[in-house]
Amino acid sequence: MDALPIPPLAKPSGRRKEPGNTGHTVPYYRVEMREVFSKLHRDLPPTRLWCVGGSFPGPTFDVRGGEGAMIEWVNQLPQRHFLPIDHTLHGAEADKPEVRSVVHVHGAKVPPESDGWPEDWYTSGKSATYYYPNRQDAALLWYHDHAMGINRLNIYAGLLGLYVVRDSVEDRLQLPAGRYEIPLVLCDRLLRRDGSLEYPVSGKPDAPWVPEAFGNVMLANGKLCPYLDVEAREYRFRILNGSNGRFYHLSLSNGQPFHLIGTDQGLLPAPVEAGAFVQAPGERVDAVVDFRGHEGETLVLRSDSFELLQFRVARTKATSFSPLPKQLRPVERIPETAAVRTRVVTIDEYMDAAGDSMKMLLNRAHWDMPITEKPVLDSVEIWSIVNPTDDSHPIHLHLVRFQVLDRRRYDPRTYFTTGQLRYTGPVDPPEPSESGWKDTVRAHGGMVTRFIVRFEGYVGRYVWHCHVLEHEDNEMMRPYEVVAK
Ligand code: C2O
Ligand code: CU
Ligand code: CU
C-alpha cells in the first residue's frame, strides 16, 4: 500500500577541527535520538518508536573515504523505557538508569574512544561527539545503539540507520546511482493490532529476557510490505539486515537472480550471480537487480514465505542503463602463512544449575572478566570459532575487516571432553558471496568457522560479539584489546 520510503540524508551543520593537531576541519553533524510516532503502514495507527533524527531508520550518513567526520549523538529520549528491561542482565541492573544509549558505527575503523564502548552510555540530555576518520574502502556501514544490557531494546525501538562510505574506486565502476541506488534496511517487529510495538517476554516478571525475538511483520525501511516503482533497468540495492535475530533468505518471486557485488566491508572482486542468499543480523549485501525485460511486471522480494517489498516495473523501455562491470575491486587474499597465531574461541550457551536461566557467552567468559584476546597492532591472526550449539551465530568484530577462510563440521563431544578438534566433515570454502571483506560472519552450529584478520588502525579496547542482539545482551560479547607492537 505504501511507497518504499528512503531515509533522509544527514546534513552537516558546519565544520569542526578534527582531533589531533592537524589543523584540518571536517563536517560536523548533530543528530538527536528522540521519541517519534510513525506510521508503519497506511492502515495502522502511528507506532511509538525511538529514532535517530525523526525517522526510522534514521538519516543516512554519506561520506567519502579518507575524509573525516564528527558526529554529535544527542540523547533526547524520554526518562522511562517503553520496552521490558531485564535487570538480571549484566549492565542493566536496577541501579542503572532505565534510558541510556551510546552509538556505534558498525564496520567503521575508528579510534577506540569513538567506537561506542557499551559502558560509555549516557542519559537523556547528554551527548557524545565522536570522530570518524573514514580511512577505509567504500562500503555500507550502519549505526546503532550499543548500550550494555539493553541494546536489543534500544535497537528494536528504532535506534539504527545507515552510514555509506564512498570512494573513487567505486565511482569509476559507474554502478547504478542516484535514484537507481536504493538503501534497504530490513527488520522484523512484533506489532499489536493497535500498531504498537511489542517486545516478547519470558513470562518471568523479574527476568523478561528471551533468547530470540522474532516479529510478525517484516519492515523495509520502516514500512510494512511497501512497493517501489522501478524502471526496466539495473538497480543497486544496499541491503542491511537490521533485525534483532531473524536471518533472511532473500529471493525474487520470479526466480530471477541477484548480481551480488559487495559484502559487509565493500565490493567483491567480481559480481556473483545468486538466485537466493542468506543474510544474518548485522550483515550487509550489495546487490544489483536487472529489471530489463520485465516491463509491466510485478516482482516481489521475499524471505521464505514472507513478502518484504514489491517492485512495480514500468511498462515502457528504460532509456538509461548501468551495465555491470566484469571486475569490481581486487580483494587481495591474506595468506594463512601471514598469521602469527590462531585463536580457538567458543560460543557457549548454558543453563544455570536450577535450569531456569540461560547464559550465553564467548569463550566461557563473562563480559567483566580480564581481557584474553590481545592481538598486536598490524599483526595477522586466524580465529577459529567453535560452535557447539544448534544455531548459527553471526559473529562480529569491531574495528577490523576479515576474510572468511572456511567452515568445517567437528565433533563437539570430543571437543568438550578432551579439548581436541576432531573434524568430521569436509572443508567448506566460503560462499561466493563471502569472497570479499567481512566484519560479521555466520558461525554455523556444529562447525568450526575460520577467518583471517589483520588488526589494523588503532590500539585500544574494542568488542566482539554475536549480532543476535538477545545473545549479545546476555553477555555473548567480550572486550578485546589491540596492543602496541
Ligand atoms: Cu553492529 Cu557491536 O555491532
Ligand atoms: Cu560493530
Ligand atoms: Cu548468538
Side-chain angles (χ1 to χ4, degrees):
M1 293 298 176
D2 299 292
L4 177 78
I6 303 295
L9 275 186
K11 294 237 172 16
S13 57
R15 295 183 73 87
R16 286 272 173 100
K17 271 211 192 72
E18 77 181 348
N21 284 322
T22 62
H24 293 140
T25 63
V26 296
Y28 164 77
Y29 301 79
R30 185 179 187 278
V31 281
E32 291 184 356
M33 302 173 228
R34 51 173 189 261
E35 183 166 279
V36 302
F37 286 82
S38 172
K39 278 173 84 73
L40 303 185
H41 186 273
R42 191 194 65 175
D43 299 334
L44 280 175
T47 300
R48 175 209 303 247
L49 297 165
W50 285 5
C51 299
V52 176
S55 63
F56 170 57
T60 300
F61 292 86
D62 202 302
V63 303
R64 298 291 301 179
E67 293 175 15
M70 316 250 317
I71 305 177
E72 181 177 3
W73 306 97
V74 188
N75 181 340
Q76 294 290 11
L77 297 167
Q79 299 297 330
R80 306 298 308 263
H81 217 296
F82 73 105
L83 297 175
I85 295 179
D86 186 327
H87 294 296
T88 67
L89 296 183
H90 181 82
E93 295 80 4
D95 64 343
K96 303 280 188 312
E98 262 186 34
V99 178
R100 47 198 172 81
S101 69
V102 55
V103 180
H104 164 65
V105 177
H106 179 133
K109 191 173 168 187
V110 294
E113 59 277 13
S114 289
D115 192 51
W117 179 255
E119 290 167 326
D120 283 350
W121 46 260
Y122 44 95
T123 53
S124 189
K126 305 228 164 53
S127 74
T129 304
Y130 285 168
Y131 170 56
Y132 302 93
N134 300 322
R135 275 179 222 120
Q136 57 189 108
D137 290 353
L140 177 67
L141 315 182
W142 64 298
Y143 59 86
H144 57 74
D145 176 75
H146 222 302
M148 191 80 200
I150 54 168
N151 94 60
R152 72 192 184 292
L153 305 176
N154 286 351
I155 297 176
Y156 193 84
L159 294 173
L160 77 163
L162 299 176
Y163 190 105
V164 188
V165 182
R166 303 186 184 276
D167 65 15
S168 55
V169 175
E170 186 190 63
D171 293 345
R172 258 179 259 129
L173 298 171
Q174 301 200 304
L175 297 165
R179 65 176 188 280
Y180 306 120
E181 181 189 12
I182 308 291
L184 206 50
V185 177
L186 304 177
C187 60
D188 63 336
R189 291 293 183 270
L190 195 53
L191 283 192
R192 301 191 190 93
R193 294 210 146 264
D194 65 2
S196 64
L197 212 51
E198 176 165 348
Y199 184 87
V201 289
S202 65
K204 282 172 275 174
D206 296 335
W209 176 86
V210 289
E212 253 103 37
F214 294 120
N216 55 356
V217 299
M218 303 292 139
L219 304 176
N221 292 348
K223 281 281 180 212
L224 213 164
C225 298
Y227 68 85
L228 178 69
D229 286 319
V230 294
E231 295 172 32
R233 70 174 326 272
E234 306 87 342
Y235 276 75
R236 180 183 186 190
F237 293 95
R238 317 289 306 262
I239 313 172
L240 162 70
N241 180 352
S243 302
N244 280 38
R246 184 179 294 279
F247 285 54
Y248 288 107
H249 305 95
L250 297 178
S251 64
L252 293 164
S253 51
N254 63 350
Q256 148 180 9
F258 301 92
H259 303 276
L260 306 182
I261 60 167
T263 179
D264 305 336
Q265 285 282 328
L267 294 162
L268 294 173
V272 170
E273 216 174 86
F277 59 87
V278 178
Q279 196 175 9
E283 286 189 303
R284 283 89 70 209
V285 170
D286 201 344
V288 169
V289 176
D290 191 350
F291 295 106
R292 276 181 299 169
H294 299 284
E295 289 80 359
E297 292 177 22
T298 296
L299 274 55
V300 177
L301 174 69
R302 24 179 223 213
S303 177
D304 300 323
S305 56
F306 288 106
E307 304 199 323
L308 305 177
L309 173 62
Q310 184 184 62
F311 301 108
R312 300 178 181 170
V313 189
R315 273 176 228 287
T316 52
K317 291 240 177 293
T319 51
S320 75
F321 300 97
S322 305
L324 197 57
K326 295 235 166 355
Q327 305 297 326
L328 298 164
R329 179 176 212 143
V331 174
E332 205 189 311
R333 303 301 302 178
I334 310 175
E336 284 191 42
T337 51
V340 295
R341 67 179 291 173
T342 293
R343 291 182 198 271
V344 178
V345 297
T346 57
I347 292 176
D348 319 291
E349 289 178 357
Y350 299 100
M351 289 307 278
D352 71 358
D356 58 20
S357 106
M358 185 142 70
K359 267 288 153 212
M360 301 187 144
L361 303 177
L362 294 169
N363 259 338
R364 305 198 181 116
H366 289 268
W367 166 256
D368 58 1
M369 287 163 67
I371 299 182
T372 39
E373 281 69 49
K374 292 187 176 177
V376 175
L377 183 66
D378 291 328
S379 72
V380 173
E381 297 192 354
I382 292 171
W383 285 34
S384 288
I385 311 168
V386 178
N387 181 359
T389 75
D390 295 333
D391 304 312
S392 186
H393 296 257
I395 299 296
H396 167 52
L397 272 68
H398 287 205
L399 176 69
V400 291
R401 58 181 191 173
F402 53 73
Q403 295 173 351
V404 181
L405 291 172
D406 48 40
R407 297 185 176 87
R408 198 168 181 188
R409 202 151 277 293
Y410 77 107
D411 177 33
R413 187 171 296 267
T414 306
Y415 187 75
F416 189 72
T417 52
T418 70
Q420 296 304 308
L421 278 177
R422 191 168 70 78
Y423 291 105
T424 57
V427 177
D428 293 344
E431 293 162 24
S433 62
E434 295 175 315
S435 57
W437 293 101
K438 297 275 296 165
D439 59 38
T440 305
V441 61
R442 280 166 269 129
H444 295 331
M447 299 190 100
V448 176
T449 301
R450 296 194 316 143
F451 61 81
I452 189 163
V453 50
R454 180 175 284 121
F455 289 88
E456 287 172 307
Y458 306 92
V459 296
R461 283 183 321 173
Y462 294 89
V463 305
W464 66 289
H465 58 87
C466 175
H467 225 289
V468 171
L469 303 178
E470 286 64 36
H471 300 181
E472 176 186 354
D473 266 347
N474 201 349
E475 291 190 67
M476 198 176 266
M477 173 167 76
R478 284 281 293 159
Y480 81 89
E481 183 176 0
V482 181
V483 298
K485 286 185 248 200

